[in-house]
């Protein structure tokens, strides 16, 4: 697996089964379903200021990883 492009996420078996079932129902991949869930959560729970801070933190993490 190309770890510069993909990372794995550990979830409980029941959570995986639910995410997998919903993904199948909605004709998505599991990664597509997680992306949809994450984007919806950010819109509903983070302020614009929080989203800006998140973007800055992610950028800093990427820069640190790339040296």
């Amino acid at each position: 697996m190309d770890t510069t492009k993909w990372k794995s996420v550990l979830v409980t078996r029941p959570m995986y089964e639910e995410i997998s079932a919903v993904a199948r129902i909605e004709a998505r991949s599991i990664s597509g379903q997680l992306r949809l869930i994450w984007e919806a959560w950010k819109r509903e729970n983070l302020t614009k200021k929080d989203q800006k801070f998140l973007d800055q933190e992610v950028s800093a993490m990427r820069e640190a990883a790339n040296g």
Side-chain angles (χ1 to χ4, degrees):
M1 174 171 50
D2 179 1
T3 58
T4 62
K5 186 173 180 182
W6 304 100
K7 295 291 183 184
S8 58
V9 176
L10 183 65
V11 297
T12 63
R13 185 67 175 201
M15 185 183 300
Y16 168 82
E17 291 165 350
E18 287 185 13
I19 293 168
S20 181
V22 172
R24 265 195 318 273
I25 291 166
E26 298 186 354
R28 287 190 188 90
S29 65
I30 293 171
S31 61
Q33 188 66 30
L34 287 172
R35 187 172 40 254
L36 184 81
I37 292 166
W38 176 244
E39 292 299 326
W41 183 88
K42 288 192 308 183
R43 274 193 315 274
E44 294 172 14
N45 293 284
L46 297 180
T47 64
K48 295 289 183 190
K49 182 179 176 183
D50 291 340
Q51 289 179 19
K52 185 175 180 180
F53 178 74
L54 176 62
D55 291 342
Q56 291 170 345
E57 288 295 302
V58 170
S59 292
M61 289 172 59
R62 287 179 181 155
E63 287 179 23
N66 292 330

